[in-house]
Amino acid sequence: MDLNSSLPLGNLQCEQKVLKNTDGSAMYTAGETNVLVGVYGPADCKESKQDVKQAVVEVNFRPKIGIPGVAEKYMEKFVCKICESVILRSFHPRTAFSVIVQVMQDQGSLLSCAINAVSMALQDAGISMRCMPVAVTVALQKKEKEDNEMKDDSKKFVISPSTKDEEESVAIATFVFDSAQYDSISAYACGPMTSDEYRECLRLAKEASKHIVRFFRDSVSRKVSTDIR
Amino acid sequence: MTGNLLDGKIVVPGDVFSAADENFKLVNKIKLGPGLTTNQAQKIIVCKSGTLRYKSPDTLWVDCHQQRYIPSKGENVIGVITSRQGDFYKVDIGASDQAVLNCMSFEGASKRNRPNVSNGDVVFGQLIVANKDVEPELSCIDPSSGKANGMGILSGDGILFTISLNLGRKLLSPDCVLLPELGSHVSFEIIIGLNGKVALFCKSAQQSVCIMNLIKATEYMSNTDIMKALNKQFF
């Protein structure tokens, strides 16, 4: 089996506090994909939307060009559910958290890049969270043999695939883990996959997510390194 | 006590440490400050990213670079009066809810002698009620002495600007050299609210803007960097 587990996650870059008026913001780059996220909250909220027991979370997903369509709405919902599960919402009843995700450049693995960007922005805003969500996308590629016979060694797993890799793949899966226990929070998969292949994707994603958490931790250390002791 | 080992550690949400940890051998009960919470298993869970702080004998908290203010009882804050509802004023203190300020909560105020307050006035007060379920309440009387103690409506030619909560705490910290050093070069009056709002009173507008920019620039500076920046400015 040809595993690209040694494949680097591409170049990871993150800049926090990029927007002035937001409570927290992050510009996150993974490979060639670039996402800008702004977070407001815990902020005042319309009475009709308020929840007396916990805060509400709204996510706004903006594509690079044009108006948001069905795909964007789906990602919005996906990111929203993740935020709801990690934010300690009962700490701030009757308030709202507003997350705006702006796609700057999409060269593959957009969903995982967006989730990681949201994670960094929430963390920059100092919002109380149970853990940080970390997302990794894995693509499964299969080479067709001349005799049309599938063999085990024709499989290839690509971690954080580019647009080209995604086009060549038969199935794509995005996994979201929590940064503490590396338990799965959420998953999104499309395309045909056997359960063994799915498990292999999950394993590879879990490995890769550890690198990303390390990267998160490094960026936090850099940010707070000047605090007065 | 080896809890000091934890002081200055950089933490991210989801980090867990247990009270039964060897670092806490001598302490039975620990007070948790902002950024820390517990789960059912009596483990301490970090919920904000920043620097872990420990104060002898038993207090732990996380210093976090946060923009949004979350009211906490007893903190001194600066707010702007936005409206009046009967005996109460609504004050914008930068939190999710507006704070209320009773017009009796000024020094020397009585039913007959109401303070002269209008919308847009800047007020410096102390939070006497701060609870996540009800709106916060401000008071301009120091509960220990019953006097204003510097609190009340701020008047005069000054500017009001917002800084990050962490910078506000840093400036108020006795370890920070910026304000004493700055004060030895120029004369000014400054009031720093823990909600990140700062009222600055100087002789001239140029001085005000200059000091404001200097303060905003020190967010990520250490004490030595601050001294360098000040030397550049004044020598």
Side-chain angles (χ1 to χ4, degrees):
Chain A
M1 214 181 266
D2 175 24
L3 295 181
N4 272 334
S5 59
S6 57
L7 193 90
L9 286 157
N11 110 62
L12 292 180
Q13 273 177 32
C14 179
E15 192 183 341
Q16 289 179 307
K17 256 187 200 131
V18 274
L19 303 173
K20 231 182 161 191
N21 287 326
T22 54
D23 293 325
S25 57
M27 171 92 96
Y28 189 88
T29 312
E32 302 274 286
T33 308
N34 187 353
V35 174
L36 177 66
V37 178
V39 174
Y40 296 89
D44 209 3
C45 162
K46 261 190 268 167
E47 241 168 71
S48 56
K49 280 187 184 170
Q50 278 177 7
D51 187 335
V52 287
K53 289 206 179 106
Q54 57 193 7
V56 290
V57 182
E58 313 176 321
V59 178
N60 222 320
F61 212 101
R62 291 166 195 274
K64 195 167 79 177
I65 40 167
I67 51 163
V70 176
E72 279 75 25
K73 287 281 170 204
Y74 184 82
M75 289 208 231
E76 222 166 69
K77 206 76 195 167
F78 195 82
V79 175
C80 184
K81 287 290 167 201
I82 293 167
C83 291
E84 282 178 356
S85 75
V86 297
I87 295 174
L88 296 167
R89 294 189 293 149
S90 58
F91 281 23
H92 309 288
R94 294 172 298 106
T95 59
F97 291 102
S98 176
V99 179
I100 295 121
V101 183
Q102 172 70 59
V103 179
M104 306 292 275
Q105 192 169 299
D106 177 12
Q107 292 290 320
S109 314
L110 178 65
L111 185 57
S112 59
C113 184
I115 293 165
N116 291 337
V118 168
S119 182
M120 285 314 261
L122 288 175
Q123 187 254 97
D124 180 45
I127 291 168
S128 298
M129 290 190 283
R130 190 165 60 81
C131 59
M132 291 197 293
V134 196
V136 180
T137 301
V138 181
L140 171 63
Q141 295 180 342
K142 281 180 183 171
K143 282 190 209 96
E144 296 273 328
K145 280 279 159 72
E146 274 174 28
D147 53 359
N148 247 358
E149 207 182 293
M150 286 294 194
K151 280 196 180 162
D152 232 16
D153 60 354
S154 63
K155 280 182 208 159
K156 192 179 165 199
F157 294 93
V158 185
I159 300 169
S160 0
S162 64
T163 323
K164 191 168 152 279
D165 293 330
E166 280 180 1
E167 275 165 12
E168 288 169 0
S169 64
V170 289
I172 299 171
T174 300
F175 300 95
V176 188
F177 301 99
D178 83 42
S179 64
Q181 320 281 296
Y182 296 99
D183 288 335
S184 177
I185 297 177
S186 187
Y188 168 75
C190 71
M193 236 191 291
T194 64
S195 57
D196 281 345
E197 285 163 354
Y198 187 81
R199 236 169 275 141
E200 186 58 25
C201 284
L202 183 63
R203 192 186 66 81
L204 288 171
K206 201 174 258 189
E207 281 304 309
S209 68
K210 287 174 185 163
H211 290 276
I212 300 178
V213 171
R214 204 169 307 141
F215 170 73
F216 282 2
R217 210 176 272 273
D218 284 349
S219 11
V220 175
S221 335
R222 205 155 294 174
K223 191 173 118 184
V224 299
S225 57
T226 52
D227 283 359
I228 288 177
R229 298 273 137 162
Chain B
M1 180 63 204
T2 48
N4 288 317
L5 286 178
L6 291 169
D7 191 43
K9 193 177 176 230
I10 287 157
V11 289
V12 295
D15 285 359
V16 177
F17 44 95
S18 156
D21 209 317
E22 54 191 80
N23 294 327
F24 295 106
K25 258 180 195 160
L26 300 175
V27 181
N28 301 326
K29 282 185 182 167
I30 300 164
K31 287 178 192 140
L32 298 180
L36 297 170
T37 180
T38 52
N39 66 359
Q40 290 89 346
Q42 294 300 304
K43 296 255 169 94
I44 301 167
I45 298 180
V46 178
C47 57
K48 283 177 187 179
S49 68
T51 325
L52 194 67
R53 296 284 184 217
Y54 168 79
K55 195 177 173 217
S56 198
D58 57 357
T59 318
L60 269 175
W61 75 98
V62 177
D63 256 359
C64 165
H65 289 249
Q66 198 173 324
Q67 299 279 3
R68 175 73 63 164
Y69 179 63
I70 292 162
S72 179
K73 195 180 167 184
E75 290 190 338
N76 289 325
V77 294
I78 298 177
V80 180
I81 308 266
T82 54
S83 65
R84 182 180 165 177
Q85 289 170 353
D87 278 351
F88 290 93
Y89 298 103
K90 288 272 180 194
V91 187
D92 176 17
I93 56 168
S96 61
D97 262 342
Q98 294 200 331
V100 291
L101 172 62
N102 193 323
C103 59
M104 296 297 127
S105 308
F106 288 94
E107 190 189 319
S110 62
K111 279 276 177 209
R112 208 173 299 160
N113 178 23
R114 280 168 183 260
N116 186 18
V117 180
S118 52
N119 286 358
D121 280 359
V122 177
V123 61
F124 179 50
Q126 191 174 38
L127 284 167
I128 51 170
V129 174
N131 186 311
K132 63 179 182 175
D133 295 308
V134 291
E135 52 193 353
E137 187 176 344
L138 267 180
S139 167
C140 294
I141 299 171
D142 187 10
S144 56
S145 62
K147 296 268 168 46
N149 233 350
M151 291 187 285
I153 299 294
L154 303 179
S155 53
D157 288 338
I159 48 169
L160 181 73
F161 60 96
T162 312
I163 55 177
S164 91
L165 301 184
N166 188 66
L167 180 55
R169 284 194 296 267
K170 181 169 156 179
L171 293 175
L172 289 168
S173 150
D175 299 333
C176 182
V177 296
L178 178 68
L179 293 180
E181 278 298 320
L182 206 54
S184 64
H185 294 291
V186 278
S187 67
F188 61 94
E189 194 181 324
I190 192 166
I191 301 170
I192 302 165
L194 280 169
N195 58 344
K197 289 196 194 303
V198 179
L200 180 64
F201 303 92
C202 284
K203 277 189 198 126
S204 68
Q206 284 100 319
Q207 270 188 8
S208 297
V209 173
C210 177
I211 293 175
M212 178 179 79
N213 288 337
L214 205 57
I215 287 173
K216 283 185 172 175
T218 52
E219 165 99 63
Y220 293 107
M221 284 187 189
S222 64
N223 268 341
T224 36
D225 291 339
I226 291 173
M227 288 307 288
K228 267 184 216 158
L230 282 173
N231 288 336
K232 218 184 207 174
Q233 194 86 24
F234 292 105
F235 302 111

